[in-house]
Amino acid sequence: MTHDLPYNGSASLDALLDAAVDAIIISDDEGTIVQFNSAAERLFGYAAADIIGQNLTTLMPPPDRNQHGQYMSRYLNSGQPAIIGIGREVTGLHASGRTVPVHLSVGEIKSGGRERFVGILRDLSEQKKYEAAVITLESQLAHADRLVALGELTAGMAHEINQPLTAIAAFSDAGARLIDNDNDAARTELKNICGRISQQARRAGDVIARLRRLSQKGELSKSSHDLQRLVQSALQLFDHEVRRSNAAIATHFNHRTKLVPVDEIQIQQVLVNLIKNSLDALAESATEPAQVHVHVEEEDEHLYIIVEDNGPGVDPENEPHLFEPFFTTKDHGVGLGLSICRNIAVAHGGNLRYKRSERGGARFTLSLPLTYIG
Amino acid sequence: MKSGKGLVCIIDDDEAVRESLRILLFSAGFDTCSFESADDWLESEDKPSTDVFLLDIRMPGTDGTELHRIMLEQGSRVPVIFITGHGDIPLAVAAIQRGATDFLTKPFEDGELIERIGSAIEQFRQEQQRDRELADLRRRFESLTPRERDVLELIVDGKSNKGVATALSISPRTVEIHRARVMEKIAAESVAELVRMAENIRMSSS
């Protein structure tokens, strides 16, 4: 199991490496594999005899495959580690061509003037599967929660609005009866009634205003956020869904300003809504290949986050109602998503607009001012 | 203060609903009193003599259906009309099954509200009238002597004076005297009326 320019390979070292649960791979400073233990054989599907002597990049999918040489020479020249002593999640490439999520930690061995690197890899497939299941479950729960909350909200709201309406109806009916009594007492009562009616109408209005405030979930808490990271972390939530569907999400970041004053959670809520809508639309259509394109542009002191897809797009008939509360075309939708998203955009001093994408599907543009507003 | 149309007692926790009902019912000629909770009404020292209750089904503290149960337990026969939101209709139906008179959903149709209140009061008053008449009748029957009661029973069974005399082993003349006393005490105009009154008493006590 040793290369012909080994490293004083000994039978006891081989036994030690082969007993390890984690995959252990040792390379020289050019990335040539010199040692490959049994766990590594199982993880990557190569026999040690076949892979020793090849470059580490064989075990990597792009883009790491193309850039690994640069990573190594950068480290060797500068001494600035990108991964050594840190460890991180990377993607490995199995002999069969499928990718494997792994945790990789790298150490270096200096012996005889030559640098060697030892990589210890742990298969994360099971853990990822579990995480994805948890995320799906969580999003289902969150949805159920929202529906339950909304159900309670509408029942509570119906009662709250029905009370003043009941009073208004009874006051007006009483007024209509009293109006024929031509005396001072009736006139005083009528005046009182009119006052009470307008008071009750305002009471109903207040209930609705309260509901509006509630659906915006309180004050914005804006601070500077790296927009690219914000978009990427929103996209991460869809990793699982995307892997299961045949849709792909591409991103392009064409903005110069890195930090934007936004309420991180609310803007993520908007992005998640838009991306989810796109994926839902694509899942229902037979578009091939199904694509969601998220790109960020900068112009005139504004950032534009554009989410577009090549799905069926919005029925032109429905376009005018897209942002209306309780308007939905989804069977189980409640029709608040886009209306809340637009409220969030407006609260940021921006806007959320729709037009048909040149790719054929829907195109939503969230605009955000770069200057700090309120 | 009680006028011809009757006193409506409104129990609802919403001030605006109470006040609008008060003015509406006033404009339709009813007298009203109102309480903002069932507990307030239960605790009030001198409860106004009420012809119909308008009872909100959902209230903080003792709610409408619970108050209705207490009223029934205390033997009250005053009609109860529940006022409910749309979501409470099953509750209201259950209350009707337990003996409530009626229910109205908010917001009300004023004609319907007034009509339902009017007919509940009318029905209640007829019942009260019947109760009074019956109590009066019972008093009159109770004023009969044992012998007069024997005579009455035989007359009601369809016996002639002679038959009564034979059955009781007394003279027909004595039967006639007892019979005249019975008619007088009961205030019946004819034997047919006497029979009907006796039937009423028998039915109400069975």
Side-chain angles (χ1 to χ4, degrees):
Chain A
M1 191 172 278
T2 42
H3 193 237
D4 49 29
L5 207 174
Y7 143 76
N8 305 333
S10 70
S12 61
L13 176 64
D14 283 356
L16 188 66
L17 290 178
D18 286 345
V21 177
D22 290 337
I24 300 174
I25 302 169
I26 301 175
S27 78
D28 66 14
D29 57 6
E30 284 168 352
T32 306
I33 297 169
V34 297
Q35 194 102 21
F36 202 76
N37 75 346
S38 304
E41 291 182 313
R42 286 193 296 275
L43 180 60
F44 287 100
Y46 289 102
D50 298 333
I51 196 78
I52 286 173
Q54 294 198 43
N55 198 279
L56 284 171
T57 55
T58 313
L59 305 173
M60 302 169 193
D64 286 342
R65 164 177 288 198
N66 313 323
Q67 286 165 7
H68 190 255
Q70 290 170 37
Y71 299 158
M72 284 189 85
S73 53
R74 193 189 306 152
Y75 173 67
L76 291 169
N77 293 333
S78 70
Q80 286 292 320
I83 188 166
I84 293 168
I86 300 165
R88 69 159 64 132
E89 270 180 35
V90 296
T91 307
L93 185 65
H94 188 267
S96 67
R98 81 183 148 82
T99 57
V100 195
V102 290
H103 183 271
L104 168 67
S105 47
V106 180
E108 60 182 323
I109 309 164
K110 286 184 181 163
S111 78
R114 283 210 79 174
E115 208 89 25
R116 285 179 193 276
F117 296 96
V118 55
I120 301 176
L121 303 94
R122 178 165 293 177
D123 188 349
L124 296 178
S125 306
E126 283 305 309
Q127 189 186 333
K128 285 281 162 188
K129 235 184 263 172
Y130 172 75
E131 279 172 8
V134 169
I135 287 175
T136 314
L137 197 65
E138 274 175 354
S139 70
Q140 282 167 354
L141 282 177
H143 185 66
D145 263 5
R146 272 211 309 277
L147 287 183
V148 168
L150 197 74
E152 283 167 3
L153 206 64
T154 45
M157 187 180 68
H159 177 76
E160 288 289 304
I161 294 176
N162 207 29
Q163 291 293 102
L165 290 183
T166 300
I168 288 171
F171 277 128
S172 333
D173 291 337
R177 285 166 185 277
L178 286 173
I179 209 155
D180 294 328
N181 298 9
D182 194 16
N183 60 49
D184 284 349
R187 266 191 294 277
T188 310
E189 193 69 289
L190 269 175
K191 203 167 181 182
N192 169 38
I193 285 172
C194 291
R196 297 299 302 256
I197 289 174
S198 77
Q199 186 189 38
Q200 291 303 308
R202 282 193 197 95
R203 176 182 166 194
D206 284 346
V207 175
I208 291 165
R210 264 207 324 272
L211 179 77
R212 281 227 174 105
R213 279 199 295 278
L214 206 70
S215 69
Q216 285 177 357
K217 289 214 176 102
E219 298 290 297
L220 291 184
S221 68
K222 283 200 220 168
S223 53
S224 287
H225 289 281
D226 179 340
L227 194 68
Q228 181 163 346
R229 249 175 79 176
L230 206 150
V231 170
Q232 278 163 342
S233 67
L235 285 172
Q236 254 169 23
L237 294 172
F238 294 98
D239 272 359
H240 174 68
E241 195 169 335
V242 167
R243 233 177 299 141
R244 293 206 164 205
S245 68
N246 52 359
I249 302 183
T251 51
H252 274 101
F253 298 98
N254 303 320
H255 60 296
R256 298 176 303 277
T257 311
K258 198 171 145 76
L259 298 176
V260 205
V262 292
D263 184 315
E264 183 186 21
I265 293 174
Q266 295 209 344
I267 293 302
Q268 273 190 3
Q269 192 186 342
V270 175
L271 294 174
V272 166
N273 258 287
L274 295 178
I275 294 163
K276 179 90 181 107
N277 281 348
S278 281
L279 290 174
D280 286 353
L282 288 168
E284 277 177 21
S285 74
T287 319
E288 288 280 353
Q291 286 178 324
V292 180
H293 191 213
V294 181
H295 49 120
V296 181
E297 310 287 341
E298 180 171 347
E299 207 183 317
D300 300 334
E301 290 294 295
H302 277 77
L303 281 182
Y304 297 90
I305 307 172
I306 298 148
V307 178
E308 54 187 323
D309 61 63
N310 59 349
V314 176
D315 189 332
E317 214 172 272
N318 293 332
E319 273 185 39
H321 309 292
L322 263 188
F323 297 101
E324 287 172 10
F326 302 109
F327 176 81
T328 185
T329 58
K330 295 185 183 179
D331 285 346
H332 300 290
V334 286
L336 282 178
L338 285 175
S339 128
I340 291 173
C341 286
R342 175 170 271 182
N343 284 347
I344 291 173
V346 170
H348 277 81
N351 209 337
L352 179 63
R353 291 198 173 84
Y354 170 80
K355 73 172 197 183
R356 185 157 279 278
S357 164
E358 283 162 16
R359 294 158 187 263
R363 176 188 164 108
F364 286 90
T365 304
L366 168 66
S367 60
L368 294 169
L370 282 171
T371 44
Y372 195 95
I373 295 175
Chain B
M1 193 193 81
K2 221 170 149 172
S3 74
K5 280 200 164 182
L7 185 112
V8 185
C9 183
I10 305 159
I11 306 181
D12 192 310
D13 63 311
D14 193 312
E15 191 272 337
V17 171
R18 274 201 314 274
E19 182 64 2
S20 62
L21 279 172
R22 185 191 69 74
I23 299 178
L24 177 58
L25 294 174
F26 165 76
S27 75
F30 293 95
D31 290 309
T32 59
C33 65
S34 60
F35 293 86
E36 73 170 283
S37 76
D39 296 308
D40 274 9
W41 182 81
L42 286 168
E43 284 159 21
S44 74
E45 293 281 326
D46 54 333
K47 297 180 176 55
S49 156
T50 301
D51 293 298
V52 63
F53 285 97
L54 273 186
L55 206 51
D56 189 15
I57 226 163
R58 278 180 201 270
M59 279 183 288
T62 307
D63 69 11
T65 46
E66 176 65 9
L67 177 59
H68 181 221
R69 199 186 55 71
I70 295 171
M71 286 173 168
L72 290 176
E73 246 174 40
Q74 293 175 347
S76 165
R77 294 172 62 188
V78 181
V80 170
I81 298 178
F82 279 107
I83 46 185
T84 71
H86 282 280
D88 301 330
I89 288 174
L91 270 182
V93 170
I96 294 276
Q97 282 163 352
R98 280 194 303 271
T101 305
D102 212 340
F103 72 90
L104 290 161
T105 48
K106 300 179 202 175
F108 322 108
E109 200 66 56
D110 68 331
E112 200 182 5
L113 175 80
I114 287 159
E115 201 264 325
R116 302 274 192 101
I117 287 177
S119 80
I121 292 178
E122 177 63 20
Q123 210 184 325
F124 178 52
R125 286 187 169 173
Q126 278 173 11
E127 269 172 38
Q128 279 183 312
Q129 179 64 23
R130 261 200 307 281
D131 285 356
R132 268 197 302 276
E133 280 170 11
L134 212 57
D136 189 37
L137 201 59
R138 190 168 284 126
R139 254 196 317 280
R140 280 182 266 157
F141 272 87
E142 276 162 4
S143 71
L144 300 179
T145 63
R147 183 51 97 190
E148 284 164 358
R149 225 170 280 176
D150 293 340
V151 172
L152 171 67
E153 261 172 44
L154 291 164
I155 293 170
V156 169
D157 281 352
K159 294 235 171 6
S160 64
N161 282 358
K162 217 170 180 179
V164 175
T166 314
L168 296 178
S169 310
I170 52 176
S171 73
R173 174 75 190 130
T174 313
V175 171
E176 247 171 61
I177 292 167
H178 281 315
R179 181 175 157 160
R181 290 282 294 155
V182 168
M183 298 288 276
E184 190 191 329
K185 279 188 178 175
I186 303 293
E189 301 275 317
S190 64
V191 173
E193 196 184 355
L194 185 69
V195 170
R196 191 176 52 74
M197 286 167 153
E199 280 300 317
N200 278 347
I201 288 281
R202 203 175 288 170
M203 265 168 47
S204 73
S205 43
S206 66

